């Protein structure tokens, strides 16, 4: 989020369609150079938690916990710094995007400490996921 350029936006809602239960310490994801991505209704993207905080383009993200795949309910914009909520519980702050599987889907990287999985969070398909505009710009990842 850039407060000098960004105004208010609508919340982006999604529905969990598949729970993931594994972790990796050597995943090798790389941050895209974009601080935001537009998403369309019906798209499916993967939520991945990490304890990394780097936001430079190309930063390597190795330590990850896989949460699950979500279907976007309505078009919107996801921004670095957005709060990510599942089932009414804040799970972290959007860090950035990895495009290794694009155009199939983005890996939406969320800073969270501890870095947990969908199983650890006790998630089930159909859980409501919300991306809410962050309160502060830049580097608030926790």
């Amino acid at each position: 989020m850039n407060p000098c350029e960004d105004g208010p936006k609508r919340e982006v809602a999604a529905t969990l369609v598949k729970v993931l239960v594994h972790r990796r310490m050597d995943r090798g994801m790389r941050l895209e150079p974009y601080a935001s991505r537009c998403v369309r209704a019906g798209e499916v993207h993967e939520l991945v938690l990490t304890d990394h905080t780097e936001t430079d383009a190309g930063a390597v993200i190795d330590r990850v916990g896989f949460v699950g795949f979500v279907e976007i309910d309505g078009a919107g914009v996801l921004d670095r710094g957005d709060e990510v909520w599942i089932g009414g519980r804040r799970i972290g702050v959007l860090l950035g995007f990895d495009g290794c599987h694009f155009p199939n889907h983005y890996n939406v990287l969320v800073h969270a400490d501890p870095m947990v999985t969908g199983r650890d969070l006790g998630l089930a398909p159909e859980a409501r996921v919300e991306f809410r505009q962050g309160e502060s710009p830049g580097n608030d990842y926790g």
Side-chain angles (χ1 to χ4, degrees), residues 62-89:
D62 277 329
R63 296 178 308 275
V64 295
F66 294 89
V67 174
F69 286 91
V70 300
E71 178 184 6
I72 304 298
D73 294 344
V77 179
L78 302 183
D79 289 307
R80 179 180 298 137
D82 283 354
E83 295 183 351
V84 181
W85 293 71
I86 300 179
R89 176 174 42 176

Side-chain angles (χ1 to χ4, degrees), residues 22 25 32 39 57 77 81 105-106 142:
H22 60 294
M25 297 300 156
E32 294 285 318
V39 292
V77 179
H105 68 275
Y106 274 111

Side-chain angles (χ1 to χ4, degrees), residues 10-88:
R10 76 193 236 185
E11 179 178 287
V12 175
T15 303
L16 189 67
V17 297
K18 179 176 178 149
V19 178
L20 297 174
V21 300
H22 60 294
R23 286 183 181 78
R24 293 274 308 265
M25 297 300 156
D26 61 349
R27 180 55 182 83
M29 291 184 186
R30 293 196 178 272
L31 279 181
E32 294 285 318
Y34 318 110
S36 66
R37 297 281 78 193
C38 294
V39 292
R40 298 179 182 139
E43 287 184 343
V44 175
H45 297 292
E46 188 172 359
L47 283 183
V48 181
L49 301 187
T50 183
D51 59 359
H52 289 270
T53 58
E54 300 86 359
T55 58
D56 293 336
V60 176
I61 307 296
D62 277 329
R63 296 178 308 275
V64 295
F66 294 89
V67 174
F69 286 91
V70 300
E71 178 184 6
I72 304 298
D73 294 344
V77 179
L78 302 183
D79 289 307
R80 179 180 298 137
D82 283 354
E83 295 183 351
V84 181
W85 293 71
I86 300 179

